[in-house]
Amino acid sequence: MKVLVAVKRVIDYNVKVRVKSDNSAVDLANVKMAINPFCEIAVEEAVRLKEQGVATEVVAVSVGSDACQEQLRTALALGADRAVLVKTEDGLDSLLVAKLLAKVCEQESPDLAILGKQAIDSDNNQTGQMLAALSDWPQATFASKLVVEGRELLVTREVDGGLETIAVALPAVVTTDLRLNEPRYATLPNIMKAKRKPLDVLDGAALGVDLAPRVKVLKVAAPAARQGGEILDGVDALVDKLRNQAKVI
Amino acid sequence: MSILVIAEHDNKHLKPETARVLSAALAMGDDIHLLVAGHQCQEVIRAATELDGVAKVLVLDEARFAHPLPEGLSQTLVALAPAYSHLVAASSTTGKNLIPRIAALLDVAQISDIVAVESADTFCRPIYAGNAIATVQALDPIKVVTVRPAAFEATGSANSAPVENLAAGQDNSRSRFVSAELTESERPELASARVVVSGGRGLQSGDNFKMLEALADKLGGAIGASRAAVDAGFVPNDWQVGQTGKIVAPDLYIAVGISGAIQHLAGMKDSKVIVAINKDPEAPIFQVADYGLVGDLFELVPELTRKL
């Protein structure tokens, strides 16, 4: 079966972000970028399916500017067979990304699309569900375990209160939770090999999707800073503060 | 136009998140319909009719909604939605799973996890793990929104709204519920608890969490954990507080043996009072903590429990 994996280029998760002084956005100039951690888990899962002999081909897809090719090369180095960049401006609304991915799914007709559950920049947690809706496929979100049984997929999901297992018919969309797997590191020989793997570029504007934004960002501001607190010299002082100053116990 | 709010429940109890989501919806407009999709959930419906601000409780009662899957439920909701200006749900795992599917079927954008309502179409939401707050305007005719419950106060419950039963229509989805494994707990739910005691890698083992449980029980609180503690297998993953776990904003948050990574702070830094207990005085958690104790948690936590 053919597996499509969507990857997003985002600010590295260790970077402390700064809001621009004109409050228009977060400052991304000269900041370290990386594959979104949840997307990395999605790539790893697809590659594992290939190693198990379940998947025959893994196609990595990204939507955004030319710079996203870097993250697609990383996905290729981790074991994806080929890559597709849908070239658009960066930072499209989730709905538009889902529509573009749905177009790619129409062209590629994968049996399974794996996405991260959320991107750590926009924190939306929408694209996988929207892609499933637009393709009229079932969805298994926040997956922590995935078992392929014929044309059905058994997925254990992380839900409030515990775990839930559902079965979805293929083709389907799965979004990954952190617990699904531990992504591997790309080795130097694999990074070199990835440079020769095919990477196609599609013009996003030519795919027949209206790319006008549906959400207008009016302002991006830093959150209210917390007052630096005090280090107390013992449990008695803490109990006293909680009781008499903060009055929370 | 009316606002449709989706009730959060487990077929037995209406979850406290619902009353908080209602407050957010009331800031967007009035004439609120509260939808309960479930099966044989009389107690949930009764509690739903009592919530202030609800004009009508809509009930979808079918066996398949005992464990509602988004494929079937979204079909039903998409048919209802054009009569509403807003579709609002909690940003719980249920809401996050269902709502984007409905938004895409309606061909409208969705605004996730809002923490404030500026006007009927303008909302504030955290991005980059809570390190920036974006004010966004939804340009589509139907506003589809999920709400961070911890950011809103619950409405009261002195109402008696009428109930209307709805027909669910056909279901031709290709997914089915298999089983659930829920964590049993007598303690208050993490997302709505007034006090949360959380442990991290510093606890060293799952057994040591008993120490935190004693403290939480004394305070009537819930137990949380950092990703490190969950990944190490100390506690189940639905205890995780952070960008990828639960977002909490209790009156009192006690972080024990947690360094305070960006990812964890995203889930708790709106707590009213934060206490950190850590042996490393340089730990970033102390930069957000109102009160800190530097020392061995294995001595400090039992002492604190004893003295409360």
Side-chain angles (χ1 to χ4, degrees):
Chain A
M1 83 178 181
K2 184 168 169 178
V3 181
L4 185 135
V5 193
V7 298
K8 184 175 183 185
R9 172 184 170 89
V10 298
I11 198 164
D12 185 88
Y13 74 98
N14 274 317
V15 172
K16 179 120 183 64
V17 300
R18 273 180 311 115
V19 170
K20 284 188 189 170
S21 54
D22 65 355
N23 287 122
S24 61
V26 160
D27 194 354
L28 294 180
N30 305 316
V31 165
K32 187 180 172 202
M33 302 295 278
I35 285 196
N36 178 44
F38 291 97
C39 303
E40 214 174 346
I41 293 169
V43 173
E44 174 68 28
E45 196 64 19
V47 172
R48 286 187 190 188
L49 287 174
K50 196 178 170 198
E51 288 167 347
Q52 290 161 20
V54 177
T56 47
E57 189 186 27
V58 176
V59 184
V61 183
S62 193
V63 176
S65 66
D66 274 326
C68 300
Q69 292 195 21
E70 239 176 85
Q71 279 62 45
L72 286 172
R73 290 286 171 204
T74 308
L76 293 170
L78 293 171
D81 296 297
R82 60 189 179 86
V84 177
L85 170 67
V86 180
K87 204 174 151 185
T88 63
E89 58 180 292
D90 283 320
L92 292 186
D93 300 343
S94 300
L95 180 63
L96 304 180
V97 173
K99 284 183 173 185
L100 292 168
L101 290 175
K103 292 284 180 193
V104 176
C105 282
E106 256 174 50
Q107 288 182 10
E108 297 277 346
S109 27
D111 301 281
L112 176 62
I114 313 182
L115 290 79
K117 78 165 179 182
Q118 77 191 62
I120 58 162
D121 52 358
S122 56
D123 279 332
N124 271 331
N125 197 328
Q126 299 173 358
T127 309
Q129 295 87 316
M130 288 178 160
L131 171 62
L134 297 169
S135 303
D136 194 22
W137 292 350
Q139 69 190 48
T141 52
F142 326 145
S144 61
K145 192 177 165 206
L146 196 152
V147 180
V148 182
E149 283 187 350
R151 290 300 290 172
E152 204 172 58
L153 205 59
L154 278 176
V155 182
T156 303
R157 307 179 53 237
E158 295 199 0
V159 295
D160 295 337
L163 298 170
E164 172 187 279
T165 302
I166 59 167
V168 293
L170 295 174
V173 172
V174 168
T175 74
T176 62
D177 218 317
L178 283 172
R179 245 73 59 181
L180 184 60
N181 61 47
E182 188 80 44
R184 70 193 67 188
Y185 291 98
T187 60
L188 189 58
N190 284 340
I191 293 171
M192 299 311 286
K193 259 190 258 172
K195 290 184 177 164
R196 292 191 300 275
K197 288 185 179 176
L199 192 161
D200 297 324
V201 180
L202 299 178
D203 178 9
L207 288 177
V209 174
D210 176 6
L211 296 178
R214 316 288 284 271
V215 177
K216 192 169 161 192
V217 178
L218 304 178
K219 191 172 100 179
V220 174
R226 278 193 86 93
Q227 291 285 337
E230 49 185 322
I231 301 287
L232 306 173
D233 60 5
V235 169
D236 290 317
L238 176 62
V239 173
D240 175 62
K241 291 280 188 192
L242 290 178
R243 242 183 217 138
N244 302 318
Q245 192 177 340
K247 298 192 193 330
V248 284
I249 55 170
Chain B
M1 290 252 278
S2 313
I3 294 177
L4 185 64
V5 176
I6 296 167
E8 187 81 17
H9 69 93
D10 59 3
N11 269 312
K12 293 187 195 84
H13 305 287
L14 184 69
K15 296 204 180 166
E17 285 91 327
T18 309
R20 293 169 176 260
V21 173
L22 263 180
S23 296
L26 283 164
M28 299 172 205
D30 39 24
D31 195 31
I32 292 184
H33 297 179
L34 183 60
L35 178 90
V36 177
H39 186 47
Q40 295 173 344
C41 47
Q42 286 316 311
E43 172 56 31
V44 176
I45 297 166
R46 192 193 54 75
T49 57
E50 288 175 359
L51 289 178
D52 290 346
V54 176
K56 191 156 73 172
V57 175
L58 306 177
V59 176
L60 277 169
D61 185 340
E62 281 208 20
R64 64 182 160 109
F65 293 146
H67 298 281
L69 294 177
E71 290 80 3
L73 194 50
S74 60
Q75 285 172 14
T76 308
L77 280 164
V78 163
L80 284 177
Y84 294 93
S85 61
H86 293 72
L87 196 64
V88 185
S91 56
S92 60
T93 51
T94 318
K96 287 179 192 165
N97 191 27
L98 172 68
I99 298 302
R101 191 169 180 108
I102 299 172
L105 293 173
L106 292 169
D107 193 24
V108 302
Q110 185 211 322
I111 313 288
S112 292
D113 206 26
I114 64 159
V115 295
V117 179
E118 300 262 294
S119 72
D121 66 356
T122 304
F123 312 100
C124 298
R125 59 177 303 266
I127 52 176
Y128 293 89
N131 287 301
I133 306 290
T135 306
V136 295
Q137 185 180 17
L139 304 175
D140 286 307
I142 305 177
K143 320 297 177 210
V144 177
V145 180
T146 59
V147 174
R148 176 177 293 189
F152 294 88
E153 296 290 331
T155 61
S157 52
N159 195 3
S160 61
V163 174
E164 185 182 320
N165 284 292
L166 300 178
Q170 259 212 318
D171 184 16
N172 50 11
S173 51
R174 283 167 291 125
S175 58
R176 62 190 164 84
F177 172 81
V178 177
S179 62
E181 244 179 87
L182 300 181
T183 315
E184 298 289 334
S185 172
E186 297 288 304
R187 296 191 184 85
E189 283 208 39
L190 184 53
S192 51
R194 209 185 58 78
V195 176
V196 173
V197 181
S198 269
R201 205 197 303 271
L203 267 290
Q204 293 173 10
S205 81
D207 274 347
N208 290 334
F209 264 76
K210 291 206 177 73
M211 213 166 63
L212 298 193
E213 290 175 23
L215 176 57
D217 288 345
K218 201 102 181 221
L219 293 164
I223 307 260
S226 69
R227 184 185 162 194
V230 172
D231 282 351
F234 298 171
V235 293
N237 48 34
D238 56 303
W239 288 16
Q240 186 184 329
V241 171
Q243 183 184 19
T244 64
K246 291 207 174 62
I247 313 280
V248 301
D251 290 347
L252 174 60
Y253 188 90
I254 305 182
V256 180
I258 292 176
S259 65
I262 292 174
Q263 192 296 123
H264 185 76
L265 299 182
M268 45 64 80
K269 69 187 167 77
D270 293 323
S271 305
K272 211 164 119 199
V273 174
I274 298 174
V275 172
I277 301 178
N278 205 302
K279 64 171 192 261
D280 174 12
E282 302 298 317
I285 191 79
F286 286 117
Q287 289 161 22
V288 300
D290 299 280
Y291 307 115
L293 288 179
V294 176
D296 182 1
L297 65 93
F298 294 102
E299 287 166 19
L300 293 170
V301 173
E303 188 187 344
L304 178 59
T305 310
R306 228 174 23 245
K307 288 183 171 162
L308 282 170

